[in-house]
DNA sequence: GCGTTTTAAGAATCTTTTATCTGAATTTTG
DNA sequence: CAAAATTCAGATAAAAGATTCTTAAAACGC
């Protein structure tokens, strides 16, 4: 998989928060319910967002999480970096440590072109863009479609 | 990581075999030695290549593995498919089961463009291409540079 | 046939990722 | 001040992936 499952959950949650964020803080149990993710697991994952300054959290009644910045100032790149790190955007396809223009691996020149496209995509696609396109995803999640292996 | 570690080892081994294959079968212990990979592990991984018809194997003295086809008829796509399957080339970035043009996820239209580039790359890059570009990789591996975390 | 070389196959171990649970700590509400 | 809502932190369990180990099977040379 391109990005980790934790990261997928985190991105979906961020889209959800961006779509609902007019009402102040969004409680994590609400997000977990609507997205069919374990509450405790999501709590842990979202802490990476608060630690990296993409979200802010508030305890107690009417607490929850909220975006720390406007949705159009948070990119997919920011989200992935906070959860999975930047390896995906910098790594050699074969994982060779010193691979670069000086000592390219056999796939180097072909791979960096694809990787560069992916990086640009991630830097240009904002949370706002994704939130406005998320209607269909939400409908499906709300209808009980869980992740993966649950097609049957 | 884009592709699994098993797949990375397998690709490196395939490049090695392609470069040496004039001498009939190449013993797996030789490949494992030169590439700093565990012999037993490599044995298991290369079985996926023989099972999928990309390589042929032969037991006993002067045995080993060899390409089943000319190196310019084996693509990177073939190699990845044999080890990791085709998920990488077909999957939605967020791993949503029904994601497609009918019900796109928020990243769908952006992601498929990158994914398509990657697929074309993998289908056009042949083992022959990689073997001719592999000199530097082999030098580094022969000098004892192991994979990952062994930089110090 | 016997010993050596080599792949084949599967079990066992270790590591990482994913997921759950429990007990706090914090803040608002009444 | 007490009760409820909510995040925070850490321990633990389950699952998946990576690696190693052990034994078998095949081929060859003598």
């Amino acid at each position: 998989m391109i990005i980790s499952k934790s990261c997928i959950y985190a991105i979906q949650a961020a889209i959800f928060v961006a779509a609902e964020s007019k009402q102040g803080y969004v409680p994590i149990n609400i997000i977990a319910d609507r997205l069919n993710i374990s509450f405790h697991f999501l709590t842990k994952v979202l802490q990476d967002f608060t630690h990296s300054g993409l979200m802010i959290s508030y305890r107690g009644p009417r607490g929850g999480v909220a975006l720390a910045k406007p949705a159009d100032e948070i990119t997919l790149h920011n989200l992935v970096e906070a959860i999975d790190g930047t390896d995906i955007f910098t790594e050699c396809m074969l994982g060779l440590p010193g691979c670069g223009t000086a000592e390219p691996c056999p796939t180097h020149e072909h791979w960096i072109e694809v990787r560069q496209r992916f990086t640009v995509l991630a830097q240009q696609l904002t949370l706002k863009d994704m939130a406005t396109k998320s209607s269909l995803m939400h409908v499906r999640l709300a209808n009980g479609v869980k992740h993966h292996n649950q097609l049957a």
Side-chain angles (χ1 to χ4, degrees), chain A:
Chain A
M1 217 176 307
I2 290 293
I3 55 183
S4 75
K5 225 165 179 180
S6 303
C7 193
I8 289 173
Y9 292 150
I11 292 170
Q12 293 183 354
I15 293 171
F16 187 89
V17 171
E20 309 268 313
S21 66
K22 288 153 197 163
Q23 302 110 7
Y25 294 97
V26 182
I28 297 182
N29 59 10
I30 300 293
I31 310 174
D33 265 17
R34 291 285 299 275
L35 265 48
N36 276 307
I37 306 172
S38 151
F39 164 72
H40 289 100
F41 188 51
L42 185 58
T43 293
K44 206 174 166 185
V45 171
L46 288 185
Q47 279 180 21
D48 287 340
F49 281 159
T50 61
H51 291 161
S52 62
L54 294 175
M55 287 187 177
I56 50 180
S57 66
Y58 208 76
R59 293 198 250 200
R62 308 191 59 81
V65 293
L67 301 182
K69 298 187 270 188
D72 58 0
E73 292 176 21
I74 298 177
T75 66
L76 180 60
H77 192 283
N78 295 145
L79 300 175
V80 173
E81 181 179 16
I83 307 292
D84 281 351
T86 57
D87 281 1
I88 289 290
F89 303 109
T90 61
E91 232 177 16
C92 162
M93 181 177 163
L94 298 184
L96 291 167
C99 181
T101 49
E103 299 185 79
C105 82
T107 69
H108 183 75
E109 59 184 293
H110 300 85
W111 168 243
I112 57 172
E113 199 250 330
V114 170
R115 197 184 64 192
Q116 182 60 21
R117 290 232 160 207
F118 179 56
T119 305
V120 169
L121 175 166
Q123 285 170 339
Q124 291 180 344
L125 191 58
T126 70
L127 199 45
K128 186 179 178 184
D129 296 331
M130 293 189 281
T132 59
K133 287 176 189 161
S134 70
S135 54
L136 280 166
M137 184 186 83
H138 282 164
V139 169
R140 283 165 56 220
L141 290 171
N143 285 342
V145 177
K146 279 199 180 172
H147 307 93
H148 277 95
N149 337 1
Q150 210 216 358
L151 284 170

